[in-house]
């Protein structure tokens, strides 16, 4: 249970700072605290006119700009800032996420100044975000910047954030469209020092050291990030999914007409489409309160929308035959589905014609084999029949293609299907599935190869992909009273039914755990690798907090591919214990850890054993873009990651390092950690035309395996005799093999 207090539910609060300036005045060391007051508008027209437009700043985008002075903010000083599309500035890192622009998100992540945190789109014609820097002030102007819209541009906003050398901050609101919703305020970042919800029109007279924010809205809504953060105050980071219902009657979505919706929180899987984002690889977990695990947040909406029996058809979905279970199947399925294109042989170009509503569901005219993520099961009655096609099934399960994209089925186990092009009926592809619909059209056969030709193969593939998922069911209710017993019973029935439904829907190729559990984490989660014949790899099993008494953990595997001890004990007062994994032969093995205390989750991972390090790749993770004087140590370590073609990290593998000339790498030999990473310090050579660093895993030198040099360049000396390592950047994901190792 989560109650609706502490900003979890946003109540109507119309924007009332139009044609005003909101002043933040600092106090304390390095502006550690702030007061706030409003006054007459002092829009800086000169800075707006002289400002430089941030070229090509797009929707959900960010740019770093230098500050002309050292700016104090919540006890720190900054010499640069990130200008983000969505009406906010951040320090230490940009924010281009498409997550909800909510108070929960505003106070999370990096330190933030947010004059008008809203989903804005500066890429539209007539819009600009401009930056002006001078010795006495830095000004960012959002000029005629509209709210994002999938159709015509939304309402346009013009406002400024002004930063002064002494830490003062002004927000100038020249034109704010009536009825617009946004979050306004300042925050020290990462939820430090608490959060105060304020009425800025009344001012903040007493200096405060935490986040100050006001949420402006024209309707009731739910701050999903605040819900998630509140959940994690009392529960451990042990869940892949949070499933939210409420007794308040709120959809909580940007679209008040939405029934249910899903938001992807983190994704490192490739080959499953863009997940409706510009970059399909992302990690927003920290903002949602999850440092490691959470992948998906599902807002199911009001509990009252669902029948008591989870297998009954929902009246609003009588034609598609959706039940509470199939709706939950669709929404949780959006973690992986349906975003893929296929390479259309008719055009030679990737096509999204398999997709329907919002490019996140299967098209009505795609034979999805009655996927819960829409489409239909379509019967082809033959070329001599008219109408030729008939829909005969809807929302029954996850299809073979679905299961491939979810990582539960191999490519050889996915039969071909078909799409009906140019259908004879006027239904849009975004239509909800419905049985008994007849139509003509041109059949286009669709194979998995056509999809992988457009998206690439799934990485990681089904042999090492996660197959066991933990679900937390959350009920949002009014503060100060218990929800009705009938509501609790309804949700309990659905929760209990979900595990069995999910297993059947994926043909028993995966499982859904529906208990509230404590975290039990294997260092190899969700998949890890070891090299056959190498010294035993040290793995760990850990809990979230120091134990009051010892915890015995039973270890098991389904294969002789690896050898592990039968059990391990985490001592009292500790959070982890180590054990060894020995790779006996190439292959994969499932590794499980089950605590004697049943309140802990059953941790399950896959271990990949490779024959030798010659099958592995080193990539640069961080440490690029540095400058160092000759003979001096670079300020940041060089971090590399060792992995195979399936992107499985390999731990416990020795990596040897060497520097050219009299340069020094420390250490010269290091073992990769559980994430496959090694960190080294590099003192550059004191003279010479170039500095190089080579890295190679044990057993790889003879095969010439090191790090792909594709996209990397030799550094050059500047006239001042400084090595410029700015070209040292991460190698691409599909990097090949470079015989010379890493050259920086």
């Amino acid at each position: 249970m989560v109650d609706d207090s502490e900003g979890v539910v946003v109540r109507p609060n119309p924007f009332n700072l139009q044609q005003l300036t909101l002043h933040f005045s600092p106090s304390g060391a390095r502006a550690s605290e702030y007061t706030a007051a409003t006054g007459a508008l002092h829009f800086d027209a000169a800075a707006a006119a002289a400002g430089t437009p941030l070229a090509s700043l797009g929707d959900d985008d960010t740019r770093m700009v230098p500050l002309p002075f050292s700016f104090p903010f919540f006890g720190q000083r900054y010499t640069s800032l990130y200008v983000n599309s969505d009406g906010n500035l951040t320090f230490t890192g940009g924010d281009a996420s498409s997550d909800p622009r909510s108070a929960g998100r505003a106070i999370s992540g990096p330190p933030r100044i947010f004059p008008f945190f809203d989903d804005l789109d500066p890429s539209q014609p007539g819009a600009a975000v401009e930056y002006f820097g001078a010795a006495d002030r830095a000004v960012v102007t959002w000029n005629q910047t509209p709210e994002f819209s999938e159709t015509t541009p939304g309402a346009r906003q013009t406002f400024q954030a002004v930063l002064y050398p002494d830490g003062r901050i002004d927000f100038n609101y020249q034109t704010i469209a009536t009825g617009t919703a946004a979050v306004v305020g300042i925050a020290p970042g990462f939820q430090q020092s608490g959060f105060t919800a304020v009425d800025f029109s009344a001012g903040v007279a007493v200096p405060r050291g935490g986040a100050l924010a006001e949420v402006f809205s024209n309707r009731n809504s739910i701050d999903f990030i605040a819900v998630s953060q509140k959940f994690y105050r009392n529960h451990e980071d042990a869940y892949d999914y949070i499933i939210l219902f409420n007794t308040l009657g709120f959809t909580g979505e940007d679209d008040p007409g939405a029934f249910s919706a899903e938001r992807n929180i983190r994704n490192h899987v490739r080959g499953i489409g863009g997940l409706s984002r510009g970059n399909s690889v992302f990690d927003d977990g920290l903002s949602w309160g999850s440092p490691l695990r959470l992948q998906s947040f599902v807002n199911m909406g009001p509990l009252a929308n669902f029948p008591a029996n989870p297998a009954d058809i929902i009246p609003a979905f009588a034609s598609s035959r959706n039940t509470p279970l199939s709706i939950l199947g669709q929404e949780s399925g959006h973690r992986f589905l349906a975003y893929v294109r296929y390479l259309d042989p008719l055009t030679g170009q990737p096509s999204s014609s398999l997709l329907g509503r919002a490019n996140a569901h299967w098209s009505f005219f795609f034979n999805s084999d009655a996927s819960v993520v829409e489409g239909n099961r379509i019967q082809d009655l033959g070329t001599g029949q008219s109408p030729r096609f008939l829909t005969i099934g809807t929302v029954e399960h996850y299809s073979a293609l679905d299961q491939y994209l979810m990582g539960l089925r191999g490519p050889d186990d996915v039969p071909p299907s078909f799409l009906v092009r140019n259908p004879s009926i006027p239904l849009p592809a975004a239509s909800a599935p419905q049985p008994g619909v007849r139509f003509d059209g041109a059949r286009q056969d669709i194979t998995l190869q056509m999809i992988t030709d457009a998206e690439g193969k799934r990485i990681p593939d089904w042999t090492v992909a996660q197959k066991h998922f933990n679900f937390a069911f959350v009920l949002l209710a009014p503060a100060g009273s218990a929800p009705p017993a009938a509501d609790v019973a309804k949700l309990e029935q659905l929760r209990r039914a979900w595990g069995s439904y999910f297993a059947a829907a994926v043909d028993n190729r995966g499982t859904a755990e529906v208990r509230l559990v404590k975290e039990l984490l294997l260092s190899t989660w969700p998949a890890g690798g070891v090299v056959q014949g190498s010294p035993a790899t040290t793995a760990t099993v850990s809990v979230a907090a120091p134990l009051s008494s010892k915890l015995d953990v039973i270890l098991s595997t389904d294969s002789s591919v690896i050898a592990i001890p039968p059990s391990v004990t985490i001592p009292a007062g500790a959070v982890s214990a180590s054990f060894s994994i020995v790779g006996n032969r190439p292959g994969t093995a499932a590794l499980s850890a089950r605590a004697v205390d049943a309140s802990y989750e059953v941790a399950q991972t896959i271990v990949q054993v490779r024959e030798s390090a010659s099958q592995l790749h080193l990539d640069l993770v961080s440490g690029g873009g540095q400058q160092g004087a000759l003979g001096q140590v670079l300020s940041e370590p060089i971090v590399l990651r060792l992995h195979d073609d399936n992107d499985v990290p390999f731990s416990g593998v020795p990596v040897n390092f060497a520097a050219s000339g009299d340069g020094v790498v420390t250490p010269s030999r290091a073992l990769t950690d559980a994430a496959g990473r090694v960190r080294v310090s590099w003192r550059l050579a004191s003279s010479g035309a170039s500095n190089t660093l080579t890295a190679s895993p044990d057993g790889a030198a003879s095969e010439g395996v090191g790090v792909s040099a594709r996209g990397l360049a030799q550094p050059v000396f500047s006239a001042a005799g400084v090595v410029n390592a700015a070209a040292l950047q991460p190698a691409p994901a599909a990097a090949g093999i470079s015989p010379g190792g890493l050259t920086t």
Side-chain angles (χ1 to χ4, degrees):
M1 306 292 179
V2 169
D3 68 45
D4 64 353
S5 64
E6 302 176 85
V8 164
V9 169
V10 177
R11 308 294 180 182
N13 180 32
F15 188 82
N16 61 359
L17 302 177
Q18 179 79 270
Q19 285 287 298
L20 294 175
T21 289
L22 175 58
H23 307 277
F24 292 92
S25 299
S27 62
R30 295 182 179 177
S32 58
E33 296 180 322
Y34 283 87
T35 59
T38 57
L41 177 65
H42 293 286
F43 189 83
D44 196 334
T52 301
L54 300 181
S56 304
L57 185 72
D59 179 47
D60 301 337
D61 203 356
T62 184
R63 292 288 186 278
M64 185 181 75
V65 297
L67 285 168
F69 43 79
S70 176
F71 179 71
F73 187 64
F74 284 114
Q76 303 294 324
R77 285 191 174 272
Y78 302 99
T79 57
S80 63
L81 61 80
Y82 289 82
V83 179
N84 306 312
S85 300
D86 291 336
N88 71 106
L89 313 172
T90 49
F91 300 100
T92 72
D95 187 350
S97 171
S98 60
D99 277 345
R101 289 77 178 170
S102 67
R105 178 175 160 204
I107 67 174
S108 303
R112 192 185 307 265
I113 295 172
F114 39 109
F116 199 81
F117 194 27
D118 186 20
D119 188 4
L120 303 178
D121 184 3
S123 69
Q124 293 298 319
V129 179
E130 300 152 343
Y131 175 67
F132 172 83
D136 63 338
R137 70 199 191 283
V139 184
V140 180
T141 304
W142 283 262
N143 191 353
Q144 289 290 303
T145 306
E147 291 185 300
F148 174 81
S149 173
E150 292 184 351
T151 53
T152 58
R156 292 182 180 267
Q157 328 290 337
T158 298
F159 58 94
Q160 290 176 325
V162 185
L163 281 59
Y164 298 96
D166 60 0
R168 288 177 296 129
I169 305 167
D170 284 350
F171 295 165
N172 302 323
Y173 298 103
Q174 186 180 73
T175 306
I176 301 297
T178 303
T180 300
V183 187
V184 171
I186 57 176
F190 307 108
Q191 304 181 59
Q192 299 177 76
S193 305
F195 162 52
T196 302
V198 298
D199 176 0
F200 283 124
S201 65
V204 179
V206 178
R208 296 185 179 274
L212 302 173
E214 182 173 3
V215 181
F216 296 100
S217 178
N218 54 11
R219 63 182 179 87
N220 290 311
S221 61
I222 299 171
D223 185 338
F224 300 128
I225 294 179
V227 170
S228 185
Q229 291 170 349
K230 197 168 184 178
F231 170 80
Y232 282 115
R233 289 186 205 168
N234 300 310
H235 299 278
E236 295 175 1
D237 191 16
Y239 306 96
D240 302 289
Y241 292 83
I242 292 178
I243 311 297
L244 177 69
F245 292 82
N246 74 79
T247 64
L248 309 174
F250 298 166
T251 65
E253 290 301 312
D254 295 334
D255 176 6
F259 189 84
S260 299
E262 184 269 356
R263 294 183 184 274
N264 278 297
I265 309 304
R266 48 169 54 95
N267 176 62
H268 299 285
V269 179
R270 300 191 296 277
I272 61 174
L275 279 71
S276 300
R277 293 183 178 230
N279 184 356
S280 64
V281 176
F282 55 90
D283 189 337
D284 299 327
L286 278 177
S287 294
W288 293 76
S290 166
L292 175 69
R293 186 75 176 264
L294 185 65
Q295 301 178 43
S296 174
F297 186 99
V298 174
N299 171 38
M300 291 292 285
L303 186 61
N305 287 348
F306 298 90
N309 184 343
D312 284 352
I313 292 175
I314 302 168
F317 295 99
S319 60
S320 62
R321 300 180 178 177
N322 267 303
T323 68
L325 287 167
S326 69
I327 290 291
L328 180 51
Q330 177 181 135
E331 299 305 340
S332 59
H334 283 316
R335 164 64 188 90
F336 303 102
L337 312 166
Y339 313 103
V340 291
R341 303 163 300 165
Y342 71 102
L343 192 66
D344 189 345
L346 299 177
T347 65
Q349 298 297 317
S351 169
S352 58
S353 295
L354 298 182
L355 306 180
R357 183 161 51 95
N359 280 339
H361 304 75
W362 297 121
S363 163
F364 183 94
F365 300 104
F366 175 53
N367 176 30
S368 71
D369 191 27
S371 167
V372 292
V373 192
E374 302 192 356
N376 291 278
R377 179 179 294 115
I378 302 175
Q379 184 177 7
D380 184 347
L381 301 175
T383 55
Q385 298 292 319
S386 182
R388 176 178 174 178
F389 301 102
L390 172 66
T391 60
I392 59 173
T394 64
V395 298
E396 295 177 6
H397 65 159
Y398 294 108
S399 70
L401 175 57
D402 292 344
Q403 292 175 38
Y404 164 82
L405 296 170
M406 296 166 73
L408 304 177
R409 185 183 288 251
D412 294 338
D413 204 14
V414 179
S417 187
F418 62 88
L419 172 70
V420 180
R421 307 288 297 264
N422 303 316
S424 60
I425 55 176
L427 278 178
S431 300
Q434 182 180 345
V437 178
R438 298 174 180 271
F439 52 94
D440 280 317
R443 171 174 172 149
Q444 183 176 40
D445 290 333
I446 303 294
T447 65
L448 181 59
Q449 185 63 53
M450 294 163 70
I451 293 172
T452 58
D453 284 345
E455 303 289 359
K457 70 175 185 177
R458 190 192 198 276
I459 297 175
D461 69 19
W462 71 283
T463 62
V464 294
Q466 183 180 357
K467 296 176 177 60
H468 307 282
F469 302 92
N470 288 353
F471 288 74
F473 285 74
V474 177
L475 182 61
L476 177 62
S481 62
D487 286 345
V488 176
K490 178 193 287 189
L491 186 52
E492 267 293 277
Q493 190 171 357
L494 176 58
R495 180 187 70 87
R496 293 179 182 276
W498 173 244
S500 298
Y501 178 90
F502 179 85
V506 297
D507 301 322
N508 294 307
R509 295 170 183 265
T511 61
E513 174 61 79
V514 297
R515 297 183 301 138
L516 289 177
V517 291
K518 297 178 183 177
E519 176 185 312
L520 189 68
L521 179 65
L522 284 164
S523 59
T524 52
W525 182 89
V530 300
V531 175
Q532 176 188 4
S534 292
T537 295
T538 299
T540 60
V541 59
S542 59
V543 294
L547 295 168
S548 58
S549 60
K550 71 171 186 176
L551 181 66
D552 293 324
V553 180
I554 308 303
L555 303 174
S556 62
T557 180
D558 66 348
S559 171
S560 61
V561 164
I562 60 173
I564 55 173
S567 64
V568 66
T569 298
I570 304 176
V575 295
S576 65
S578 300
F579 63 95
S580 63
I581 301 177
V582 176
N584 292 328
R585 55 186 173 82
T588 59
L591 170 62
S592 299
R594 183 186 299 269
V596 173
D597 180 347
S599 65
Y600 287 89
E601 66 172 309
V602 178
Q604 303 183 64
T605 72
I606 302 293
V607 178
Q608 172 79 63
V609 180
R610 293 290 185 184
E611 185 175 5
S612 75
S614 65
Q615 299 170 291
L616 309 179
H617 310 282
L618 276 168
D619 283 346
L620 177 70
V621 175
S622 64
Q626 299 184 70
Q627 290 186 347
L630 297 178
Q632 299 299 311
V633 177
L634 292 177
S635 60
E636 297 178 17
I638 304 296
V639 182
L640 305 174
R641 179 175 180 267
L642 185 66
H643 64 95
D644 66 4
D645 289 335
N646 227 351
D647 204 35
V648 173
F650 274 66
S651 59
V653 179
V655 179
N656 303 294
F657 297 92
S660 62
D662 61 352
V664 176
V665 183
T666 307
S668 60
R669 179 179 170 88
L671 296 178
T672 55
D673 64 13
R677 297 187 178 190
V678 286
R679 294 165 175 80
V680 294
S681 172
W682 184 10
R683 178 171 65 78
L684 302 173
S686 59
S687 63
S690 66
N691 269 269
T692 60
L693 179 152
T694 58
S696 183
D698 267 8
S702 61
E703 286 83 9
V705 176
V707 175
S708 170
R710 186 159 49 137
L712 308 180
Q714 296 280 354
V716 297
F717 289 99
S718 71
V722 173
V723 168
N724 182 350
L728 182 59
Q729 298 295 340
I737 291 172
S738 167
L742 173 66
T743 301
T744 64

